[in-house]
């Protein structure tokens, strides 16, 4: 049987080896970005109430109620008015939206097949590109530039070869944030060079000092050439529900609508009902943020006491630190023997070597326990300093 060489060439998704390790030992898992806090009760209730005896196919675009709730949230949270019919499309989480987006944009036989994305970064920008026949074009991100991808730093030729530029703020894995000036520059440059600016805003509700901006805020009401991808996973503790949305350029939304009746990736109707309840409420988001802030304080205080350098880490529930001794894999290994599972930076691609990502997903008590274990391992020399 023939096989797709893109699939054959993929390294295993980094979470798989971590999951294998977790099954072997009793570890505190600071690796995968799946927080333990429960989904708020009213959201679970909305799902149960929507579970009808009869089953029918869900709406691929998202129900009108869901798209209205998303538009309402966009207006409240970001001050951007969008049309639920022309600018909003539901997705089954942001991962599949990111993966499928190039299928609606890239002409695999055309000259503009490049997709720009920052490395270290979320691997799905690359994977979606390659399966769609595009050319993955990673841009090295640097600590001294705040881990931001800046289109202004790229050669015009490179922009002209590209169909899509991904930005991701707050950023996985570094937790770095951006500001409206930087985002505005990206929108302007993408438009000038005729490529789509795709903004992965999966973590935009997990901020601490200042609310994270959306790329849609800097478009002056004209969403041409810009798409924001948002998610309930981190915002509302709904990773298992699979619910997100795409918001932006009306022409692209129309194309994606056509595409997505084919991909069969709509969330079930009862998930869409739960998602509608989630987008309508902001209080639970504030509560969750307060919990993440507490956990973050525990870990940041500990790292500061130990003199371990932290970079980015202004938002998200990730903390990004320089691996003492310089070898991220060796340090993650040593921590695993001390009972802590963390992700070596290189798992997120080039530019991540020498760094580690902690996902503050265990409970607050477990975070306290994690830093105790870590401190004990440092004290008796089991991890390098
Ligand atoms: C940067 C980034 N984008 C998108 C996603 C996908 O999230 P979901 O599919 O749960 O919305 C993740 C998941 O961890 C992520 O880190």
């Amino acid at each position: 049987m023939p096989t797709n060489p893109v699939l054959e060439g993929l390294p295993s998704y980094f979470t798989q080896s971590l999951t294998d390790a977790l099954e072997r030992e009793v570890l505190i898992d600071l690796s995968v970005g799946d927080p333990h806090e429960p989904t708020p009760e009213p959201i679970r209730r909305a799902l149960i109430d929507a579970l009808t005896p009869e089953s029918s196919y869900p709406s691929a675009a998202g129900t009108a109620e869901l798209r209205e709730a998303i538009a309402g949230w966009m207006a409240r949270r970001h001050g951007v008015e969008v049309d639920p019919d022309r600018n909003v499309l539901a997705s089954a989480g942001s991962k599949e939206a990111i993966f499928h987006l190039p299928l609606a944009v890239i002409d695999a036989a055309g000259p503009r097949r490049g997709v720009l994305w920052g490395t270290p970064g979320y691997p799905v920008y690359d994977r979606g590109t390659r399966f769609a026949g595009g050319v993955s074009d990673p841009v090295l991100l640097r600590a001294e530039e705040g881990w931001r991808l800046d289109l202004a730093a790229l050669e015009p030729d490179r922009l002209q070869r590209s169909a899509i530029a991904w930005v991701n703020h707050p950023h996985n894995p570094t937790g770095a944030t951006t500001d409206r000036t930087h985002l505005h520059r990206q929108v302007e440059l993408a438009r000038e060079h005729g490529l789509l600016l795709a903004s992965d805003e999966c973590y935009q509700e997990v901020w601490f000092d200042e609310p994270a901006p959306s790329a849609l805020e800097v478009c002056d009401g004209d969403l041409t050439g810009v798409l924001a991808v948002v998610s309930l996973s981190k915002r509302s503790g709904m990773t298992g529900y699979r619910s997100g949305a795409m918001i932006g350029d009306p022409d692209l939304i129309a194309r994606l609508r056509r595409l997505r009746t084919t991909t069969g990736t709509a969330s079930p109707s009862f998930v869409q009902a739960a998602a509608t309840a989630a987008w309508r409420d902001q209080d639970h988001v504030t509560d969750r943020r307060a919990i993440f802030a507490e956990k973050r304080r525990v870990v940041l205080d500990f790292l500061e006491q130990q003199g371990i350098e932290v970079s980015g880490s202004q938002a998200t529930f990730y903390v990004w630190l320089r691996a003492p001794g310089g070898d991220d894999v060796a340090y993650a290994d040593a921590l695993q023997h001390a009972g802590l599972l963390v992700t070596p930076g290189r798992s997120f691609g080039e530019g991540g070597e020498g760094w580690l990502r902690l996902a503050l997903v265990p409970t607050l008590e477990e975070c306290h326990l994690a830093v105790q274990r870590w401190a004990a391992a440092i004290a008796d020399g089991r991890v390098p300093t």
Side-chain angles (χ1 to χ4, degrees), residues 212-340:
S214 166
L216 302 189
E217 287 176 34
V218 298
C219 295
D220 303 321
D222 173 9
L223 303 185
T224 309
V226 184
L227 187 79
V229 179
V230 299
S231 171
L232 288 175
S233 290
K234 326 285 173 171
R235 174 189 185 271
S236 300
M238 292 173 69
T239 49
Y241 286 62
R242 312 313 300 133
S243 186
M246 290 163 277
I247 315 172
D249 184 314
D251 172 55
L252 178 60
I253 292 289
R255 275 194 257 163
L256 285 164
R257 238 182 210 255
R258 283 209 307 281
L259 170 76
R260 295 172 62 80
T261 51
T262 303
T263 57
T265 38
S267 307
S269 308
F270 38 86
V271 168
Q272 296 196 29
T276 306
W279 288 115
R280 283 180 183 154
D281 180 59
Q282 203 65 19
D283 290 346
H284 73 275
V285 181
T286 309
D287 296 345
R288 284 173 64 77
R289 200 159 41 233
I291 297 168
F292 294 137
E294 272 192 87
K295 296 197 255 188
R296 182 169 173 263
R297 206 55 280 150
V298 169
V299 171
L300 288 181
D301 286 351
F302 164 76
L303 294 171
E304 194 183 338
Q305 281 158 21
Q306 299 296 336
I308 297 175
E309 181 189 342
V310 170
S311 184
S313 310
Q314 296 99 347
T316 72
F317 41 68
Y318 301 123
V319 171
W320 184 247
L321 55 130
R322 208 185 274 283
D327 184 335
D328 49 318
V329 171
Y331 199 88
D333 231 45
L335 278 182
Q336 190 174 321
H337 285 106
L340 305 179

Side-chain angles (χ1 to χ4, degrees), residues 33 92-96 98 122 125 168 172 200 202-203 231 233-234 239 242-243 318:
S94 56
K95 183 175 189 173
E96 67 85 3
I98 293 166
Y122 187 56
Y125 314 124
N168 169 221
N172 178 17
D200 177 357
C202 172
Y203 294 94
S231 171
S233 290
K234 326 285 173 171
T239 49
R242 312 313 300 133
S243 186
Y318 301 123

Side-chain angles (χ1 to χ4, degrees), residues 36-213:
H36 293 190
E37 284 71 32
T39 312
E41 200 276 335
I43 298 174
R44 285 183 273 144
R45 171 65 36 207
L47 179 133
I48 292 163
D49 290 348
L51 201 54
T52 52
E54 208 178 281
S55 165
S56 48
Y57 285 112
S59 160
T63 61
E65 293 79 18
L66 174 55
R67 283 180 286 107
E68 273 157 26
I70 294 166
W73 165 80
M74 216 345 122
R76 269 195 331 273
R77 166 70 172 82
H78 292 291
V80 179
E81 298 293 334
V82 294
D83 179 335
D85 293 326
R86 294 177 63 246
N87 301 120
V88 182
L89 212 50
S91 71
S94 56
K95 183 175 189 173
E96 67 85 3
I98 293 166
F99 183 84
H100 288 123
L101 177 70
L103 292 175
V105 179
I106 291 187
D107 171 2
R112 289 195 80 148
R113 293 189 292 136
V115 176
L116 299 160
W117 55 279
T119 178
Y122 187 56
V124 184
Y125 314 124
D126 166 68
R127 294 179 175 208
T129 300
R130 292 201 277 144
F131 278 101
V135 177
S136 189
D137 190 3
V139 178
L140 191 65
L141 306 180
R142 296 171 204 280
E144 52 279 20
E145 287 155 9
W147 304 102
R148 290 179 186 177
L149 186 157
D150 190 354
L151 297 180
L154 305 184
E155 292 294 318
D157 271 7
R158 200 167 170 190
L159 299 178
Q160 291 291 343
R161 284 196 304 272
S162 303
I164 304 173
W166 279 104
V167 290
N168 169 221
H169 298 285
H171 181 233
N172 178 17
T174 68
T177 50
T178 188
D179 55 40
R180 293 165 61 103
T181 310
H182 167 255
L183 282 175
H184 189 250
R185 190 162 65 239
Q186 309 318 303
V187 169
E188 298 267 281
L189 277 159
R191 283 182 177 159
E192 193 183 311
H193 291 275
L195 61 147
L196 169 69
L197 186 77
S199 180
D200 177 357
E201 300 179 358
C202 172
Y203 294 94
Q204 77 194 153
E205 297 277 39
V206 191
W207 50 266
F208 301 105
D209 301 327
E210 278 178 58

